[in-house]
Amino acid sequence: MDLKQLECFVRVVEFGSVTRAAVTLNLSQPVVSRHVRQLEVELKEHLLERNGRGVIPTDAGKRLLERGRGILHQVRLAQQEIEELRGSPSGKVVVGMPPSVGKSITVDLVSDFRAAFPRASLGVVEALTVSMYEWLLLGRLDFALLYNPPVSQQAVYEHVWSEDLYLIGRRGLGGKAMPESVKMRDLAHYPLITPGQPNAIRNLLDVQCARLGVPLSVALEVDAIESLLDLVDRGMGYAVLSRNAIYGRSQRPHLRAARIVSPALTSQLVIATAAQRPLTRLAQATIDLIKKRIEGGILGGKPGSHAPTRPDS
């Protein structure tokens, strides 16, 4: 079995499209199709089925996909370990993080990474927790920083930070100044602009308010944080986010943050890794760089314990 054929097959299934896989692999579409077809001939099984939305794996394809991801990852580990014998870690590591965290940490992380590992490359992906969790399990991310991730046997979580959530609003909206703090029961009086479900902060907000019997007034559901904040800045409503969401935003000088109290609404940030996929030395070293920055207070919250756990332990 040729590794290039296997990689083409895995990427086609992950993206659900030969065209998108070809772009990722920097190959032409006919070449990718030919590699997959050669693999089918060799295994004497159809591996893919086409439907109106792209391609999906057959039963045989699902079996191969499960094994193929592990094979490709082990090959990549072996390559990096051999390269590392020649000096500092090399290869590539891809980390996912929420936009609010990325805004605070990405520039410093890149600087630290380039100084420590001049022979390696770093990829930073910013997205919401629900998307990054899926990408982590698919192997597109080496590890990810996630807010309040779902309970799972497929991931290991290391709690690294806690941060209180705030009500974000425009100064002087409706003739009223933003208060220093807002009781959770009073959130019912504010028209909220929030991401739709599934979303880590939205889920935390819904669960805690339901537990306390606080009815929320959701005026708009907007998933893109930048667009959400633009609407808040225009006085269309209020957001519930971490203070980092508006920290250092000179382009939105009118936004203010009121801490949610009685009780506080606290979001947990964890470093998530795939349970069945060992980290490379480079990935572990990158995690150490991030933890050092977080412990230095770059996020402005509260440090957590650093014991790796499964969420149901």
Side-chain angles (χ1 to χ4, degrees):
M1 184 181 297
D2 184 274
L3 286 175
K4 179 56 69 175
Q5 296 172 358
L6 184 60
E7 184 179 20
C8 286
F9 166 74
V10 169
R11 298 296 173 247
V12 168
V13 175
E14 288 181 346
F15 286 102
S17 164
V18 174
T19 302
R20 292 170 61 191
V23 172
T24 302
L25 294 166
N26 197 28
L27 296 172
S28 69
Q29 185 175 337
V31 169
V32 173
S33 297
R34 184 166 64 250
H35 279 314
V36 174
R37 180 55 187 156
Q38 288 171 344
L39 189 58
E40 290 180 318
V41 170
E42 181 178 338
L43 296 176
K44 300 178 182 179
E45 287 283 353
H46 288 293
L47 301 175
L48 299 174
E49 293 180 351
R50 295 187 177 275
N51 58 26
R53 293 176 296 178
V55 295
I56 58 174
T58 62
D59 288 342
K62 292 177 183 177
R63 292 284 185 90
L64 181 61
L65 177 66
E66 182 179 347
R67 298 292 185 182
R69 283 177 175 152
I71 292 169
L72 292 174
H73 182 71
Q74 291 299 323
V75 169
R76 184 160 67 93
L77 279 179
Q79 290 172 335
Q80 292 189 14
E81 288 174 359
I82 292 171
E83 290 173 354
E84 287 167 6
L85 292 175
R86 297 195 295 266
S88 64
S90 61
K92 182 177 182 179
V93 61
V94 182
V95 54
M97 58 183 69
S100 60
V101 175
K103 176 175 60 65
S104 300
I105 202 174
T106 296
V107 173
D108 289 319
L109 173 61
V110 170
S111 297
D112 293 345
F113 186 92
R114 293 185 68 178
F117 313 117
R119 299 175 57 246
S121 61
L122 172 67
V124 178
V125 177
E126 293 188 5
L128 298 180
T129 286
V130 63
S131 298
M132 291 190 295
Y133 175 76
E134 294 178 359
W135 297 340
L136 175 68
L137 298 187
L138 286 172
R140 298 179 193 173
L141 301 176
D142 291 284
F143 65 93
L145 282 75
L146 306 178
Y147 280 122
N148 313 307
V151 173
S152 172
Q153 291 291 329
Q154 297 175 283
V156 176
Y157 301 142
E158 183 176 357
H159 175 222
V160 291
W161 207 250
S162 298
E163 58 182 359
D164 294 331
L165 297 183
Y166 288 71
L167 182 70
I168 310 294
R170 182 180 173 87
R171 179 178 59 189
L173 179 61
K176 299 186 299 182
M178 282 290 290
E180 290 295 320
S181 63
V182 175
K183 293 183 178 180
M184 193 179 294
R185 68 170 180 268
D186 292 333
L187 291 179
H189 305 310
Y190 292 88
L192 298 180
I193 305 174
T194 77
Q197 290 281 20
N199 173 272
I201 290 180
R202 172 64 185 276
N203 185 63
L204 178 65
L205 178 65
D206 285 351
V207 169
Q208 295 301 322
C209 286
R211 184 175 298 169
L212 296 173
V214 177
L216 294 177
S217 174
V218 178
L220 294 168
E221 290 187 342
V222 178
D223 290 337
I225 299 300
E226 290 298 321
S227 298
L228 188 155
L229 288 172
D230 283 341
L231 292 169
V232 173
D233 196 29
R234 295 185 184 188
M236 304 291 287
Y238 298 80
V240 173
L241 296 168
S242 73
R243 200 171 188 176
N244 283 324
I246 63 169
Y247 177 75
R249 292 182 181 271
S250 58
Q251 71 273 31
R252 298 193 183 98
H254 301 294
L255 293 185
R256 294 292 183 269
R259 183 169 175 264
I260 298 171
V261 298
S262 300
L265 192 60
T266 303
S267 188
Q268 310 296 328
L269 181 68
V270 305
I271 293 177
T273 56
Q276 302 302 320
R277 192 169 65 247
L279 289 170
T280 65
R281 186 161 73 99
L282 178 63
Q284 184 58 61
T286 306
I287 288 176
D288 293 339
L289 290 179
I290 290 175
K291 286 161 60 175
K292 184 177 180 180
R293 280 289 177 180
I294 291 176
E295 288 167 353
I298 196 170
L299 297 181
K302 296 171 284 188
S305 63
H306 295 303
T309 62
R310 293 182 187 274
D312 55 345
S313 63

